[in-house]
Amino acid sequence: MRSDYVAQRLALPGERAVTVEGVPQSLKYDVRCYVYDGAIQLVAARLYQGQTTNFRTPGGGFALVRVVG
């Protein structure tokens, strides 16, 4: 925390079961918290397949995030 950058350890993606056009499948997901001045401004999740996130995966894209206090 004494540097001017943020480092993160490798975190493998979780997986979520979804149904696309009646076919069950497993998609990877990541959750990101966007923070400014120590306060969370936005929480976003993305569902995807393959090595990188994209918005072309059927059933993929942004996903609902429920924050539980």
Side-chain angles (χ1 to χ4, degrees):
M1 299 308 297
R2 296 175 190 206
S3 300
D4 58 356
Y5 64 90
V6 176
Q8 176 180 324
R9 291 179 183 234
L10 175 63
L12 298 176
E15 293 191 9
R16 181 78 179 152
V18 298
T19 302
V20 178
E21 296 182 5
V23 179
Q25 60 183 358
S26 181
L27 295 179
K28 297 175 188 174
Y29 71 88
D30 69 10
V31 178
R32 296 177 181 220
C33 296
Y34 296 88
V35 177
Y36 177 77
D37 198 23
I40 295 175
Q41 305 296 308
L42 173 73
V43 179
R46 296 180 296 176
L47 295 170
Y48 64 99
Q49 229 173 16
Q51 296 297 317
T52 60
T53 58
N54 63 60
F55 291 102
R56 294 177 293 201
T57 301
F62 284 114
L64 175 68
V65 175
R66 179 179 295 171
V67 179
V68 180

